[in-house]
Each structure stands twice: as C-alpha cells, then as structure tokens.
Amino acid sequence: QVLLRESGGGLVQAGGSLRLSCAASGLTFSTYAMGWFRQAPGKEREFVARINWSGGNTDYADSVKGRFTISRDNAKNTVYLQMASLKPEDTAVYYCAAKSLPSMSFNFWGQGTQVTVSS
C-alpha cells in the first residue's frame, strides 16, 4: 500500500511562513514525481506545485509563484512545501500527491493537512 502522510499544517498570520512535509512509503520514491494540491471549502481542488524525480524541475501555480518553494529529499523519502508571505486566500487543505513516470496524472494522494491563514 502506497502511503503519503502530510504534516506541518496549522494556523498562521498573514505574511507568515509555514513548511509542509510529506513522508512517502510503499513506493520507490526517487522514481516518482511529487506534487502539492489544495482545496478550500466549497471549491475545487487546485494545483499548487510539482517536482520531478530528481528535483531538477519544478512548476508552480501562478497564484503561489515566488512565495512557495517545493523541494524533495530522496534519502528521506520526503517532499516539502515551504510557504512564505502567506495570504488568507491560501487557506485550504493541502494534499501531497505522487506520480509514477509513465502516468499522465497523479495517482496517489495523502490525507491532507489544514493550513489556515488569518488576516
């Protein structure tokens, strides 16, 4: 069973920072692209960031570009999302996801961690 477990969410003031972590098990971590998505109450899930198997390629949603940084530590089977300059509109449940090389979509998902940004 592939397991992705997020941690690091919480309550933070606008302008503050938070780092999310996602620990992976049940897969060969270094062969998977990893990503972060988020879903606010009453809204659809949206893409936040992704990183390829080696960490050499990253991609971000325009709404978080310049504020969020995705990284991975393959030795620890962990992907991170460093969030800075947080805004109330960043409030959402953040989900970690994994994608194998031949897959066209993310096929494994974590349970989510709540991030709440107060004004």
Side-chain angles (χ1 to χ4, degrees), residues 44-117:
E44 297 294 315
R45 173 182 58 81
E46 66 175 344
F47 165 77
V48 175
R50 67 185 179 194
I51 187 167
N52 78 331
W53 63 270
S54 69
N57 274 296
T58 58
D59 191 25
Y60 299 91
D62 287 342
S63 59
V64 307
K65 195 170 297 182
R67 301 188 297 120
F68 290 11
T69 302
I70 188 171
S71 62
R72 67 191 297 160
D73 187 339
N74 287 350
K76 296 181 179 179
N77 286 7
T78 302
V79 63
Y80 305 95
L81 185 68
Q82 180 67 52
M83 305 183 293
S85 301
L86 283 162
K87 306 173 181 180
E89 51 262 45
D90 294 319
T91 296
V93 176
Y94 283 71
Y95 296 93
C96 175
K99 181 176 68 174
S100 60
L101 240 176
S103 179
M104 292 183 290
S105 61
F106 286 89
N107 39 4
F108 302 105
W109 298 85
Q111 82 288 344
T113 186
Q114 177 71 48
V115 172
T116 303
V117 184

